[in-house]
PDB file of all heavy atoms in Angstrom:
ATOM      1  N   PHE A 582      12.964 -18.370   2.972  1.00  0.00           N
ATOM      2  CA  PHE A 582      13.995 -19.261   3.502  1.00  0.00           C
ATOM      3  C   PHE A 582      13.974 -19.313   5.025  1.00  0.00           C
ATOM      4  O   PHE A 582      13.986 -20.379   5.622  1.00  0.00           O
ATOM      5  CB  PHE A 582      15.381 -18.810   3.012  1.00  0.00           C
ATOM      6  CG  PHE A 582      16.512 -19.573   3.637  1.00  0.00           C
ATOM      7  CD1 PHE A 582      16.781 -20.871   3.251  1.00  0.00           C
ATOM      8  CD2 PHE A 582      17.294 -18.983   4.607  1.00  0.00           C
ATOM      9  CE1 PHE A 582      17.816 -21.579   3.826  1.00  0.00           C
ATOM     10  CE2 PHE A 582      18.329 -19.683   5.196  1.00  0.00           C
ATOM     11  CZ  PHE A 582      18.593 -20.985   4.810  1.00  0.00           C
ATOM     12  N   ALA A 583      13.916 -18.154   5.678  1.00  0.00           N
ATOM     13  CA  ALA A 583      14.063 -18.088   7.129  1.00  0.00           C
ATOM     14  C   ALA A 583      12.734 -18.047   7.882  1.00  0.00           C
ATOM     15  O   ALA A 583      12.717 -18.239   9.087  1.00  0.00           O
ATOM     16  CB  ALA A 583      14.891 -16.863   7.508  1.00  0.00           C
ATOM     17  N   GLY A 584      11.635 -17.761   7.217  1.00  0.00           N
ATOM     18  CA  GLY A 584      10.332 -17.712   7.885  1.00  0.00           C
ATOM     19  C   GLY A 584      10.245 -16.561   8.865  1.00  0.00           C
ATOM     20  O   GLY A 584      10.597 -15.424   8.560  1.00  0.00           O
ATOM     21  N   ALA A 585       9.790 -16.872  10.081  1.00  0.00           N
ATOM     22  CA  ALA A 585       9.608 -15.841  11.102  1.00  0.00           C
ATOM     23  C   ALA A 585      10.931 -15.224  11.526  1.00  0.00           C
ATOM     24  O   ALA A 585      10.954 -14.124  12.054  1.00  0.00           O
ATOM     25  CB  ALA A 585       8.894 -16.412  12.315  1.00  0.00           C
ATOM     26  N   GLY A 586      12.025 -15.916  11.278  1.00  0.00           N
ATOM     27  CA  GLY A 586      13.336 -15.356  11.601  1.00  0.00           C
ATOM     28  C   GLY A 586      13.645 -14.110  10.805  1.00  0.00           C
ATOM     29  O   GLY A 586      14.457 -13.289  11.210  1.00  0.00           O
ATOM     30  N   ALA A 587      12.985 -13.925   9.674  1.00  0.00           N
ATOM     31  CA  ALA A 587      13.204 -12.736   8.857  1.00  0.00           C
ATOM     32  C   ALA A 587      12.004 -11.802   8.855  1.00  0.00           C
ATOM     33  O   ALA A 587      12.143 -10.628   8.546  1.00  0.00           O
ATOM     34  CB  ALA A 587      13.524 -13.137   7.420  1.00  0.00           C
ATOM     35  N   SER A 588      10.822 -12.315   9.193  1.00  0.00           N
ATOM     36  CA  SER A 588       9.636 -11.461   9.120  1.00  0.00           C
ATOM     37  C   SER A 588       9.335 -10.737  10.422  1.00  0.00           C
ATOM     38  O   SER A 588       8.582  -9.776  10.425  1.00  0.00           O
ATOM     39  CB  SER A 588       8.416 -12.281   8.688  1.00  0.00           C
ATOM     40  OG  SER A 588       8.128 -13.272   9.651  1.00  0.00           O
ATOM     41  N   VAL A 589       9.905 -11.156  11.530  1.00  0.00           N
ATOM     42  CA  VAL A 589       9.609 -10.546  12.816  1.00  0.00           C
ATOM     43  C   VAL A 589      10.618  -9.475  13.228  1.00  0.00           C
ATOM     44  O   VAL A 589      10.238  -8.464  13.777  1.00  0.00           O
ATOM     45  CB  VAL A 589       9.481 -11.631  13.908  1.00  0.00           C
ATOM     46  CG1 VAL A 589       9.317 -11.019  15.276  1.00  0.00           C
ATOM     47  CG2 VAL A 589       8.305 -12.534  13.586  1.00  0.00           C
ATOM     48  N   PRO A 590      11.908  -9.646  12.985  1.00  0.00           N
ATOM     49  CA  PRO A 590      12.890  -8.699  13.535  1.00  0.00           C
ATOM     50  C   PRO A 590      12.788  -7.287  12.968  1.00  0.00           C
ATOM     51  O   PRO A 590      11.991  -7.008  12.077  1.00  0.00           O
ATOM     52  CB  PRO A 590      14.238  -9.297  13.179  1.00  0.00           C
ATOM     53  CG  PRO A 590      13.990 -10.587  12.551  1.00  0.00           C
ATOM     54  CD  PRO A 590      12.550 -10.713  12.262  1.00  0.00           C
ATOM     55  N   ILE A 591      13.642  -6.437  13.475  1.00  0.00           N
ATOM     56  CA  ILE A 591      13.654  -5.019  13.106  1.00  0.00           C
ATOM     57  C   ILE A 591      13.999  -4.822  11.633  1.00  0.00           C
ATOM     58  O   ILE A 591      13.593  -3.835  11.032  1.00  0.00           O
ATOM     59  CB  ILE A 591      14.619  -4.243  14.036  1.00  0.00           C
ATOM     60  CG1 ILE A 591      14.471  -2.732  13.890  1.00  0.00           C
ATOM     61  CG2 ILE A 591      16.042  -4.628  13.796  1.00  0.00           C
ATOM     62  CD1 ILE A 591      13.357  -2.175  14.676  1.00  0.00           C
ATOM     63  N   SER A 592      14.695  -5.763  11.029  1.00  0.00           N
ATOM     64  CA  SER A 592      15.006  -5.635   9.604  1.00  0.00           C
ATOM     65  C   SER A 592      13.741  -5.684   8.752  1.00  0.00           C
ATOM     66  O   SER A 592      13.675  -5.081   7.686  1.00  0.00           O
ATOM     67  CB  SER A 592      15.993  -6.715   9.160  1.00  0.00           C
ATOM     68  OG  SER A 592      15.475  -7.992   9.435  1.00  0.00           O
ATOM     69  N   SER A 593      12.715  -6.365   9.240  1.00  0.00           N
ATOM     70  CA  SER A 593      11.444  -6.398   8.529  1.00  0.00           C
ATOM     71  C   SER A 593      10.782  -5.020   8.520  1.00  0.00           C
ATOM     72  O   SER A 593      10.054  -4.690   7.587  1.00  0.00           O
ATOM     73  CB  SER A 593      10.515  -7.423   9.175  1.00  0.00           C
ATOM     74  OG  SER A 593       9.289  -7.477   8.502  1.00  0.00           O
ATOM     75  N   PHE A 594      11.047  -4.212   9.541  1.00  0.00           N
ATOM     76  CA  PHE A 594      10.520  -2.851   9.578  1.00  0.00           C
ATOM     77  C   PHE A 594      11.106  -2.032   8.431  1.00  0.00           C
ATOM     78  O   PHE A 594      10.386  -1.288   7.756  1.00  0.00           O
ATOM     79  CB  PHE A 594      10.841  -2.203  10.918  1.00  0.00           C
ATOM     80  CG  PHE A 594      10.319  -0.808  11.048  1.00  0.00           C
ATOM     81  CD1 PHE A 594       8.974  -0.569  11.175  1.00  0.00           C
ATOM     82  CD2 PHE A 594      11.187   0.270  11.040  1.00  0.00           C
ATOM     83  CE1 PHE A 594       8.482   0.727  11.298  1.00  0.00           C
ATOM     84  CE2 PHE A 594      10.712   1.560  11.163  1.00  0.00           C
ATOM     85  CZ  PHE A 594       9.358   1.786  11.289  1.00  0.00           C
ATOM     86  N   GLY A 595      12.397  -2.172   8.176  1.00  0.00           N
ATOM     87  CA  GLY A 595      13.022  -1.486   7.046  1.00  0.00           C
ATOM     88  C   GLY A 595      12.426  -1.928   5.727  1.00  0.00           C
ATOM     89  O   GLY A 595      12.169  -1.119   4.832  1.00  0.00           O
ATOM     90  N   ASN A 596      12.175  -3.225   5.601  1.00  0.00           N
ATOM     91  CA  ASN A 596      11.546  -3.745   4.388  1.00  0.00           C
ATOM     92  C   ASN A 596      10.144  -3.173   4.223  1.00  0.00           C
ATOM     93  O   ASN A 596       9.746  -2.795   3.119  1.00  0.00           O
ATOM     94  CB  ASN A 596      11.506  -5.268   4.443  1.00  0.00           C
ATOM     95  CG  ASN A 596      10.846  -5.873   3.234  1.00  0.00           C
ATOM     96  OD1 ASN A 596      11.163  -5.527   2.107  1.00  0.00           O
ATOM     97  ND2 ASN A 596       9.921  -6.772   3.464  1.00  0.00           N
ATOM     98  N   SER A 597       9.385  -3.082   5.307  1.00  0.00           N
ATOM     99  CA  SER A 597       8.029  -2.520   5.241  1.00  0.00           C
ATOM    100  C   SER A 597       8.046  -1.058   4.808  1.00  0.00           C
ATOM    101  O   SER A 597       7.190  -0.625   4.035  1.00  0.00           O
ATOM    102  CB  SER A 597       7.341  -2.626   6.599  1.00  0.00           C
ATOM    103  OG  SER A 597       7.180  -3.957   6.958  1.00  0.00           O
ATOM    104  N   LEU A 598       9.017  -0.306   5.305  1.00  0.00           N
ATOM    105  CA  LEU A 598       9.137   1.095   4.894  1.00  0.00           C
ATOM    106  C   LEU A 598       9.332   1.208   3.387  1.00  0.00           C
ATOM    107  O   LEU A 598       8.683   2.014   2.718  1.00  0.00           O
ATOM    108  CB  LEU A 598      10.305   1.755   5.616  1.00  0.00           C
ATOM    109  CG  LEU A 598      10.160   2.000   7.111  1.00  0.00           C
ATOM    110  CD1 LEU A 598      11.484   2.485   7.683  1.00  0.00           C
ATOM    111  CD2 LEU A 598       9.067   2.994   7.384  1.00  0.00           C
ATOM    112  N   VAL A 599      10.219   0.401   2.852  1.00  0.00           N
ATOM    113  CA  VAL A 599      10.524   0.463   1.415  1.00  0.00           C
ATOM    114  C   VAL A 599       9.340  -0.012   0.593  1.00  0.00           C
ATOM    115  O   VAL A 599       8.995   0.605  -0.425  1.00  0.00           O
ATOM    116  CB  VAL A 599      11.789  -0.355   1.098  1.00  0.00           C
ATOM    117  CG1 VAL A 599      11.966  -0.537  -0.389  1.00  0.00           C
ATOM    118  CG2 VAL A 599      13.001   0.321   1.687  1.00  0.00           C
ATOM    119  N   GLN A 600       8.700  -1.104   1.006  1.00  0.00           N
ATOM    120  CA  GLN A 600       7.568  -1.623   0.237  1.00  0.00           C
ATOM    121  C   GLN A 600       6.417  -0.628   0.209  1.00  0.00           C
ATOM    122  O   GLN A 600       5.774  -0.445  -0.827  1.00  0.00           O
ATOM    123  CB  GLN A 600       7.115  -2.977   0.809  1.00  0.00           C
ATOM    124  CG  GLN A 600       8.146  -4.064   0.698  1.00  0.00           C
ATOM    125  CD  GLN A 600       8.667  -4.256  -0.701  1.00  0.00           C
ATOM    126  OE1 GLN A 600       7.911  -4.257  -1.673  1.00  0.00           O
ATOM    127  NE2 GLN A 600       9.974  -4.394  -0.828  1.00  0.00           N
ATOM    128  N   GLY A 601       6.141   0.017   1.329  1.00  0.00           N
ATOM    129  CA  GLY A 601       5.089   1.038   1.357  1.00  0.00           C
ATOM    130  C   GLY A 601       5.424   2.226   0.482  1.00  0.00           C
ATOM    131  O   GLY A 601       4.571   2.752  -0.233  1.00  0.00           O
ATOM    132  N   ALA A 602       6.682   2.655   0.521  1.00  0.00           N
ATOM    133  CA  ALA A 602       7.108   3.789  -0.302  1.00  0.00           C
ATOM    134  C   ALA A 602       7.026   3.455  -1.780  1.00  0.00           C
ATOM    135  O   ALA A 602       6.556   4.270  -2.590  1.00  0.00           O
ATOM    136  CB  ALA A 602       8.528   4.196   0.073  1.00  0.00           C
TER     137      ALA A 602
END
Side-chain angles (χ1 to χ4, degrees):
F582 173 74
S588 63
V589 174
I591 191 82
S592 57
S593 180
F594 181 71
N596 179 49
S597 297
L598 290 172
V599 169
Q600 296 306 317

